Amino acid sequence: MLFTTTERYLTRISREDLRNRLVGNHLKIHDLDFEVVEKGHKLKIVPHAEEAEDIKTLPITDVELRPTGDVTEVVVTSKIRKLDLGGPQLIILFCLFLVGASTVLFMVGRERMEIYAMLSISTLVFSVFWVRMQRGYFDYVRKIRDHVRRTGFCA
């Protein structure tokens, strides 16, 4: 999906040693606590958003450790929480609706100012949305990914 990112790294640290380094860690990003927990054969990095007062779009990150010979492959997959997915989807659908409506009006031959106004509004709304996502959700993803990379001394 649009808000899912996957990164792969290689490290010479063993799977068990890397798992022991990560499990139980807490990292603080923008005054929000994230905890690394073990769930099955994966590690999960989950936010503690109980104390958050404002609305935030937060990621849940899976860290999979795969031993391959003398190196360990680290696969970090971040995805948006299902609870937070509704707002971004509505904004994207609204922008797509405006683009679709302006395309239909262009085909029908309506006034150009209406078409340009709808396209401008759609572009403005999507641009503000994307900048906010880069400063919020994707910033969390980048900082979590960097924490895993630093912990495992990944190349």
Side-chain angles (χ1 to χ4, degrees):
M1 181 83 194
L2 185 62
F3 302 109
T4 301
T5 61
T6 300
E7 298 283 333
R8 298 177 193 287
Y9 308 109
L10 294 175
T11 183
R12 296 215 180 271
I13 299 172
S14 71
R15 178 179 186 262
E16 291 302 316
D17 188 29
L18 189 57
R19 184 182 60 78
N20 289 335
R21 287 183 186 189
L22 286 171
V23 172
N25 278 355
H26 286 268
L27 63 149
K28 198 117 170 127
I29 303 172
H30 300 298
D31 296 327
L32 193 63
D33 185 44
F34 285 81
E35 183 180 6
V36 182
V37 295
E38 190 169 12
K39 196 152 216 178
H41 66 282
K42 290 183 180 180
L43 303 177
K44 285 194 166 295
I45 302 175
V46 294
H48 289 288
E50 297 87 24
E51 67 272 354
E53 295 174 5
D54 51 342
I55 298 172
K56 294 180 186 257
T57 304
L58 300 171
I60 292 181
T61 304
D62 293 332
V63 179
E64 196 171 344
L65 306 172
R66 300 177 185 160
T68 54
D70 61 340
V71 296
T72 303
E73 181 183 19
V74 181
V75 181
V76 181
T77 304
S78 295
K79 55 187 174 258
I80 196 168
R81 294 187 310 173
K82 290 180 182 176
L83 175 70
D84 299 333
L85 188 58
Q89 279 183 339
L90 277 175
I91 292 171
I92 290 172
L93 285 173
F94 175 72
C95 293
L96 287 175
F97 172 76
L98 285 178
V99 170
S102 62
T103 303
V104 168
L105 289 177
F106 179 74
M107 296 296 191
V108 172
R110 293 286 302 240
E111 184 68 35
R112 299 270 181 185
M113 289 305 284
E114 294 172 358
I115 297 168
Y116 295 147
M118 278 198 246
L119 286 175
S120 299
I121 290 170
S122 175
T123 303
L124 179 68
V125 167
F126 188 77
S127 297
V128 169
F129 163 73
W130 199 252
V131 166
R132 298 266 328 246
M133 288 298 283
Q134 286 296 325
R135 293 181 66 204
Y137 172 77
F138 288 114
D139 190 41
Y140 288 117
V141 170
R142 283 188 296 270
K143 289 183 179 181
I144 290 171
R145 184 182 64 215
D146 291 343
H147 173 73
V148 171
R149 185 185 297 162
R150 275 192 320 270
T151 302
F153 307 109
C154 299

